[in-house]
Every structure is written in structure tokens, then in C-alpha cells.
Amino acid sequence: MRLGGRMAAAAEIVADMDARRRPVADALKDWGLSHRFAGSGDRAAIGNLVYDVLRRRRSIAWRIGSNAPADLVIGAVLAEPSGSVERLAVALDGDRFAPALPDRQILDAFLNRDLDEAPDAIRADLPDWLAPRFADAFGADWIGEAQALAARPPLDMRVNTLLAEPEAVERELAPFEAHRSPLAPAGLRIDPIEGDRRHPNVQVEAGFQKGHFEIQDEGSQLVALLAGAGEGQRVLDYCAGAGGKTLALGAAMRNTGEIHAFDADRTRLAPIHDRLRRAGLANVEVHAPRDDLSPLAGTMDLVLVDAPCTGTGTWRRRPDAKWRLSEGTVAKRMSEQDGVLDRAAAFVRPGGRFVFVTCSLLPEENRDRVAAFLAKHPAFRVEDARALWRDALPGAPERYRTEKLGDGRGLLLSPGRTGTDGFFFAAMQRQGGG
């Protein structure tokens, strides 16, 4: 397919999403099934265009003066570093599948329009109602932080140090230009793709099949490391999901002690079994949703709660979620978080650590949930996460935002400041006697 056909396909997919309010992955899959003539390169390029529109929809619409899917796709192409009206016109010349270009003055205006003159929420590529939340979370940096969420993400991996060394896996993945992560000691990164390229499917590599590495955002690796799981400990990963952090905890514990992996959603938990086998972890017991966990109450050295949340920190990878999110969904997630924290706290032994993690950047899902928990559970005290960072990552730059929580401090990782997905981290210690 030529560029014009790819642009028309991307516009068709965006229009389908608008009409049916469906996730981008579903819309792309359905388009591919009904257009089997499109090769893998075409599908990758079309997907890039769709994702670029979704990441920067408001700013593109403001610059081109239209919210029509075809115009948004045209704007996304022009917004590329090499974008120009002349180059686009040449590429589309004679392509009967190409969308019709707006008048030349509209295209020139798009390239010359200064985004700094737009309203703040448009500059940030956010719905209006979310702008105050980001301002609360990041202060004066909030627009830049939101703009970083609208960039293409890297492909991050965690080397399983039980089976391999980071240097060896880096050499194995050298053809893909993988390099060591900026912060996570066992992390590797392939930089964000450009143009119509796509990230390599590293899951077909021998190292992945042998359990030498897993795909995991560097921010997720960092919060698992900050949790401080030690050899011989008893650990409960209360919202284990597919097991990414469970695997990281198991490697940190050197396959000693015991990890209990639980999730209330059986479907989310299903992939963990194959991942554990591939990683060579023998110290993990997986608990199904209906299992009785009462024998574990009050006995865990560490309980990690990666709580259900809106996922605002993952918008680089799931930009469609930005436009489907509602205030009602935020309120629902807050209630779910309160319930999960209340239930999980019962498993922490006196003197043990209770870690609360979200992949959200919204203060009401992070700071406010810790405050609500502390009001109900006075036996817990917030630790200083800055000290945990320095212990876990000696000499590493402290590229995070910190906020006072009770007697301690939590951390907020973000694409703009940390170069990772957005994550909130707070560690609490249960005092003796309750």
C-alpha cells in the first residue's frame, strides 16, 4: 500500500472508534481481518498513524481546525519531524485511495500555528476535566508532563538475573539496537520507533523463550525493586495480574523464601503460570480468586498491592483510554482501591512493609488513597521513599516527583521526568500491636 491508502485506512479506523467507542486494539484487529491483503508492514504503518492521532488528537485538531478523522490523520503525518506540505503532496500524487487534502492555506497554517497559543488542555492533549488533576499532580510542569504522555514509548525489557546476565542479553539483542536502561539495573531498552517502523517481536527470540528476559516497562521494574523484597522473606503480591512484578520480586529474592501471587480476576492471572515456568521460579505459589488466604493473615514480611486504577500513566501505549476515561470511572477505581488496601493490609505482619503501587498519575488515586487508608489504619506509617530509592539505586539520579504522605514520602514516576510509564509508589510499615 502507498501512503495514501495507509492514511485512508487509518482514518477509517479512527472513524470506527469514534462511532462505536471501542478500544484501538479491537478496531485495528477487525480492520486487519477484513483487509487481509494488507501486509504486516502496512498494518504496522497504519497502526502507527492511528496511535499518533490518538496520542495528540486535541493539538492536531486545533492546529488543522478540524476533528474529522481524515484531517486528523493528515495532521499526524504533517506533524512528523520530516513533514512538509510539498513532500505530502508528492507522496499522494496519483494515489486514488488517498484522502483529499484540505486547501493549501489550511496545511500551511497547520505547520505555522504556534501551539503555545492554544488553551492549556489542548497543549497538554487532555480532556478539559483532567487538566486540573494534572496541575495538582505536577504543579508548574504539568503541561510538559502531559505532552510527554503523548509521545511514542520505548520497548523495555527486564533481564531475568536468575538465568542470564544483562550484558549477555544486550549482546543477543544488539541487532535491534537494544541498550541498557537508564535506571533499572537489569533493564534493557529499544528506543521509540520512528516513522512507519515497528518494534521487533522480541518474544520470538531464543532468549525470551528460555526465560532470559521479560517485557516490562522500566517504571514497573523500578517500583518492584523499591519494594525491597529480600532473600528468605514471605511476600504476597496481592494484585498479581499476569505476574510481571511477581517475576521481578522472585528474581530479587534469588528464588528463596516464598511468594504468594493472588488476583481477584482469574483471566488476568492466567498467563502467570507459563511465565513462572519460563523464568525458572520455584518459590511462587499462585492463588486463584476463590482460594482461602486466611492462613496468611498477619504473617507477610512484604505485601505489594498494584491496585486497579485508571491507567493514566500508560497512555503512551494505550492512548485511546485517555478519551474514554470519565469522572465516574475515576470514582469507581478509587472505591476499588480502598477496598483492596483494606483487605490486603490484614496480611502484613507487625514490622512488615505494605507497598501501594498504581500506574496512575491522578492524585485522587494515589496521594488521597494513602491518606484515606492511614485514617482508617493508624498502625501503619509511611516510609520515606527517597531513602528506599537511594538504597536500591545507589548513585542513580533521583528523577522522580516526591510528595509528603503522613510521616513519610511517596514517589511519582512519569515519562517526562523519569522516562518511564507513569507509576505511583508508597511504602508503609505496620507498627507492632495492630
Side-chain angles (χ1 to χ4, degrees):
M1 296 173 68
R2 294 176 57 186
L3 175 61
R6 290 173 171 180
M7 293 172 64
E12 180 183 340
I13 293 166
V14 172
D16 177 46
M17 293 177 62
D18 288 349
R20 300 166 65 183
R21 292 187 59 82
R22 60 203 308 242
V24 62
D26 292 348
L28 287 168
K29 180 180 178 181
D30 284 356
W31 187 92
L33 290 173
S34 60
H35 297 77
R36 294 184 182 274
F37 61 84
S40 60
D42 291 323
R43 292 195 299 272
I46 292 164
N48 287 345
L49 284 172
V50 172
Y51 273 87
D52 285 345
V53 167
L54 296 173
R55 290 186 182 107
R56 294 174 293 164
R57 180 165 190 152
R58 291 202 75 183
S59 62
I60 290 173
W62 183 82
R63 290 172 65 189
I64 205 165
S66 169
N67 201 36
D71 291 336
L72 293 173
V73 172
I74 291 167
V77 174
L78 286 175
E80 293 179 357
S82 61
S84 75
V85 176
E86 290 78 12
R87 191 174 291 112
L88 180 59
V90 169
L92 301 186
D93 185 43
D95 188 342
R96 63 189 179 91
F97 296 105
L101 292 179
D103 292 341
R104 175 62 187 257
Q105 69 243 33
I106 294 176
L107 300 179
D108 287 338
F110 175 90
L111 291 173
N112 295 323
R113 200 168 190 187
D114 186 357
L115 189 58
D116 287 341
E117 298 175 358
D120 287 348
I122 291 175
R123 292 172 59 202
D125 271 301
L126 292 175
D128 289 336
W129 67 272
L130 278 172
R133 268 87 163 182
F134 271 71
D136 187 10
F138 294 107
D141 299 335
W142 75 272
I143 294 177
E145 289 285 355
Q147 289 172 338
L149 272 173
R152 292 183 178 184
L155 174 62
D156 286 346
M157 295 155 284
R158 180 187 58 81
V159 175
N160 177 12
T161 52
L162 295 174
L163 301 178
E165 294 296 328
E167 295 81 7
V169 179
E170 182 181 14
R171 288 193 298 270
E172 178 187 346
L173 298 178
F176 307 124
E177 301 181 3
H179 56 85
R180 299 296 293 276
S181 296
L183 295 168
L188 295 176
R189 170 169 289 181
I190 299 174
D191 290 333
I193 56 176
E194 298 178 355
D196 59 3
R197 295 174 56 206
R198 59 178 174 176
H199 277 130
N201 180 13
V202 295
Q203 291 175 299
V204 302
E205 295 299 309
F208 181 86
Q209 298 296 326
K210 295 176 182 178
H212 292 180
F213 67 90
E214 288 281 341
I215 296 174
Q216 185 177 22
D217 179 76
E218 187 180 23
S220 180
Q221 297 177 49
L222 291 172
V223 295
L225 187 63
L226 293 175
E231 294 185 25
Q233 286 189 335
R234 304 190 76 207
V235 175
L236 171 62
D237 188 353
Y238 191 74
C239 298
K245 294 182 182 65
T246 304
L247 270 62
L249 295 172
M253 295 166 66
R254 305 304 302 172
N255 225 351
T256 67
E258 57 187 74
I259 301 177
H260 298 269
F262 169 81
D263 198 281
D265 187 331
R266 186 182 299 274
T267 302
R268 280 173 43 84
L269 195 61
I272 196 172
H273 301 282
D274 286 340
R275 298 181 76 183
L276 291 172
R277 283 192 291 272
R278 192 169 60 244
L281 280 173
N283 65 337
V284 179
E285 181 179 353
V286 180
H287 297 270
R290 291 189 292 272
D291 287 359
D292 180 14
L293 299 184
S294 60
L296 306 180
T299 68
M300 295 291 112
D301 298 300
L302 168 66
V303 175
L304 171 66
V305 174
D306 185 357
C309 68
T310 55
T312 51
T314 68
W315 280 346
R316 294 185 302 174
R317 306 177 195 280
R318 299 176 58 246
D320 53 317
K322 181 188 333 187
W323 310 113
R324 295 199 312 273
L325 184 61
S326 68
E327 293 188 86
T329 300
V330 176
K332 180 180 179 181
R333 295 293 174 265
M334 290 164 54
S335 176
E336 292 171 348
Q337 290 165 350
D338 289 342
V340 168
L341 286 172
D342 288 343
R343 293 189 294 274
F347 298 98
V348 185
R349 68 165 176 81
R353 177 175 288 167
F354 189 35
V355 170
F356 174 49
V357 171
T358 74
C359 55
S360 174
L361 299 172
L362 303 184
E364 55 262 62
E365 292 188 279
N366 299 331
R367 174 196 67 203
D368 295 353
R369 302 283 52 78
V370 173
F373 174 81
L374 294 174
K376 292 187 289 184
H377 299 272
F380 286 83
R381 296 287 184 273
V382 180
E383 300 182 62
D384 187 346
R386 298 172 301 181
L388 299 180
W389 179 282
R390 293 161 190 161
D391 289 343
L393 299 159
E398 298 181 13
R399 290 172 17 200
Y400 51 73
R401 186 174 180 85
T402 182
E403 186 165 18
K404 186 170 178 57
L405 302 169
D407 297 328
R409 285 188 173 272
L411 300 183
L412 190 63
L413 312 182
S414 64
R417 185 164 300 199
T418 322
T420 67
D421 282 354
F423 281 93
F424 172 80
F425 173 92
M428 297 169 274
Q429 186 179 63
R430 181 177 179 180
Q431 310 301 299

